[in-house]
Amino acid sequence: MPNKALRILIADEQHFQRMRIERLFNQLDYYRVAPVQNLDELLTLTEYGGVPFDLVVINAALADGALDLRNFFLDHPQVNQALIYNGPPTPACGQQKVQVSDAALPDLACIQRLMATVDPQLPFVGTVISVR
């Protein structure tokens, strides 16, 4: 059963993209989703919010080189996990707090894999192999 108290922030300039990602989370029973359309809104919510976000999903193009998103999220105490999509893939370096994907938009399978780390109480989603 999903943890319905998880706080998720989606950042993308395109309204349609934000809604599409939000619907993916809704399909998995996550409804505490805050969508933002620009970097200023994201910075305001992460800097002045009293409660940390469990997950931030952001389009790399939103920063447009103005901010190193990977390092920002690695060191930010108000963000527990981050997925940067539509960006150049970078080596993991053993750090699972920030994941970078070159996909133009995360799909349901990507969100499910991500939520398996963010919400560890979720049952395993994948192929079940029966051993007799």
Side-chain angles (χ1 to χ4, degrees), residues 61-115:
L62 194 69
D64 196 29
L67 179 66
D68 180 349
L69 291 174
R70 186 177 178 278
N71 286 330
F72 175 77
F73 291 125
L74 276 175
D75 296 329
H76 205 294
Q78 289 293 92
V79 176
N80 295 334
Q81 301 260 345
L83 170 65
I84 304 167
Y85 63 93
N86 197 25
T90 58
C93 301
Q95 185 59 257
Q96 293 300 316
K97 180 176 179 178
V98 178
Q99 298 178 32
V100 181
S101 169
D102 61 351
L105 193 67
D107 60 8
L108 184 59
C110 175
I111 298 296
Q112 286 176 320
R113 285 189 306 272
L114 180 63
M115 294 314 292

Side-chain angles (χ1 to χ4, degrees), residues 44-65:
T44 299
L45 287 176
T46 57
E47 292 298 321
Y48 301 110
V51 180
F53 283 96
D54 296 292
L55 175 63
V56 173
V57 178
I58 182 170
N59 186 339
L62 194 69
D64 196 29

